[in-house]
Amino acid sequence: RTRRLTGIEQVGCDRIVDITFGHGETAFHLILELYVSGNLLLTDHEYRILALLRSHSDEHSKVALRELYPVASAIGLLTVPVDEFPRFIDEMLNLASQRQENQELKELEVDDEKAKTAGKKTESAFAKRSKKRVSHSAMPLVTLLHKLAPFADPA
């Protein structure tokens, strides 16, 4: 009752929200697990579970009363080191751009073949392309983030 809200943060790159009340050894954490079944936990400053809606476990961790909440397993989901993250994003965007260009070239070749077989009845692929609006060549953000930091979904 007397604790102030002092922080809200996502735990690692997982679908977990840590809401902190108080400071230091008097802090409490309200943890929301935003999975399909969901969960709500109250922990102390050491992340020892004081109350929870659902207990669950997997081969790496156990979420149950008086157990330590497995914060480290959520933080460990990031597969790319943080200091190398910008370089990996650039590499993924370059790869996506190259794939898009390759796909466009294949489409042009197919269109040219169709134009040759049909005679002069249809426009050439290059004429169609010049009328076509240029699309964004980057990979969708969700796909990019999933490749860099895959999310774990507990069973």
Side-chain angles (χ1 to χ4, degrees):
R1 283 189 150 172
T2 61
R3 304 283 184 258
R4 281 190 167 184
L5 176 65
T6 56
I8 300 175
E9 60 184 32
Q10 181 180 6
V11 177
C13 59
D14 210 348
R15 292 168 283 176
I16 301 171
V17 178
D18 182 359
I19 302 171
T20 307
F21 296 91
H23 295 284
E25 292 185 11
T26 61
F28 289 97
H29 299 270
L30 186 62
I31 299 174
L32 285 79
E33 293 181 338
L34 303 173
Y35 301 121
V36 174
S37 59
N39 205 357
L40 182 65
L41 303 97
L42 178 65
T43 70
D44 62 8
H45 69 283
E46 297 177 327
Y47 287 96
R48 186 161 308 278
I49 300 170
L50 305 173
L52 73 159
L53 288 179
R54 292 181 186 83
S55 59
H56 58 84
S57 63
D58 58 18
E59 64 265 5
H60 303 294
S61 61
K62 181 178 180 183
V63 176
L65 202 58
R66 291 184 286 283
E67 294 286 329
L68 285 177
Y69 186 76
V71 176
S73 65
I75 292 172
L77 289 175
L78 191 61
T79 60
V80 176
V82 174
D83 56 337
E84 296 180 26
F85 204 76
R87 184 177 60 83
F88 276 92
I89 288 176
D90 287 339
E91 286 178 11
M92 294 296 287
L93 291 174
N94 289 336
L95 178 64
S97 179
Q98 289 172 356
R99 286 181 179 171
Q100 173 111 16
E101 289 171 11
N102 290 341
Q103 182 64 31
E104 288 174 359
L105 288 175
K106 286 179 185 177
E107 289 173 4
L108 289 175
E109 290 171 0
V110 168
D111 286 346
D112 281 342
E113 285 297 319
K114 286 180 183 177
K116 284 180 186 177
T117 57
K120 283 290 184 181
K121 297 176 189 173
T122 60
E123 292 181 310
S124 73
F126 290 102
K128 287 180 184 176
R129 186 175 186 203
S130 64
K131 293 178 182 178
K132 185 178 171 183
R133 189 171 178 198
V134 178
S135 63
H136 193 279
S137 64
M139 180 182 296
L141 182 61
V142 172
T143 306
L144 172 68
L145 291 176
H146 184 68
K147 287 181 180 289
L148 293 173
F151 297 118
D153 196 359

